[in-house]
Amino acid sequence: MDGIMLIAFDSTQQALRAEMLLDYADIEIDLFPTPKEITAGCALSIQFPELALQEVQRIITEERVEIRGVFARNHLGNYINILEKQEGD
């Protein structure tokens, strides 16, 4: 892993909601197009530092943000899903 994580979403609404929540929590994020090798219903993803993973997971869970998954790159440069799809109640 290269220290950068990625959240993929099924909807733009959830991506923008997560962006607002993570930004409010002062987590360094970047909104950018979802890589083509990740199957998601939304064209937007959020990158964040691996060091913030625990805080990001907490926010996603507590705020019931619907995600496709949280991904990291392995040593071959491929994305691996480290947190499976979550949906709100």
Side-chain angles (χ1 to χ4, degrees), residues 6-10 34 38 40 44-46 66-71:
L6 179 139
I7 308 170
F9 303 90
D10 285 326
T34 302
I38 296 176
L44 296 175
S45 293
I46 294 177
E66 296 178 18
I67 65 169
R68 167 65 62 182
V70 175
F71 297 83

Side-chain angles (χ1 to χ4, degrees), residues 20-39:
M20 178 199 65
L21 291 166
L22 298 174
D23 195 39
Y24 183 76
D26 287 329
I27 297 172
E28 182 182 330
I29 60 170
D30 286 316
L31 197 64
F32 73 102
T34 302
K36 63 183 176 198
E37 59 265 37
I38 296 176
T39 303

Side-chain angles (χ1 to χ4, degrees), residues 8-77:
F9 303 90
D10 285 326
S11 76
T12 302
Q13 178 185 11
Q14 291 298 312
L16 296 175
R17 183 168 170 251
E19 177 190 29
M20 178 199 65
L21 291 166
L22 298 174
D23 195 39
Y24 183 76
D26 287 329
I27 297 172
E28 182 182 330
I29 60 170
D30 286 316
L31 197 64
F32 73 102
T34 302
K36 63 183 176 198
E37 59 265 37
I38 296 176
T39 303
C42 175
L44 296 175
S45 293
I46 294 177
Q47 275 188 343
F48 64 93
E50 185 176 358
L51 293 173
L53 178 59
Q54 190 173 23
E55 181 69 3
V56 168
Q57 286 179 306
R58 183 190 66 76
I59 291 167
I60 287 170
T61 302
E62 286 181 7
E63 298 296 332
R64 297 184 178 145
V65 177
E66 296 178 18
I67 65 169
R68 167 65 62 182
V70 175
F71 297 83
R73 283 188 183 259
N74 64 17
H75 67 284
L76 299 174

Side-chain angles (χ1 to χ4, degrees), residues 75-89:
H75 67 284
L76 299 174
N78 300 319
Y79 285 100
I80 54 170
N81 194 341
I82 63 163
L83 180 64
E84 293 297 321
K85 182 175 183 172
Q86 294 185 348
E87 295 181 12
D89 293 340

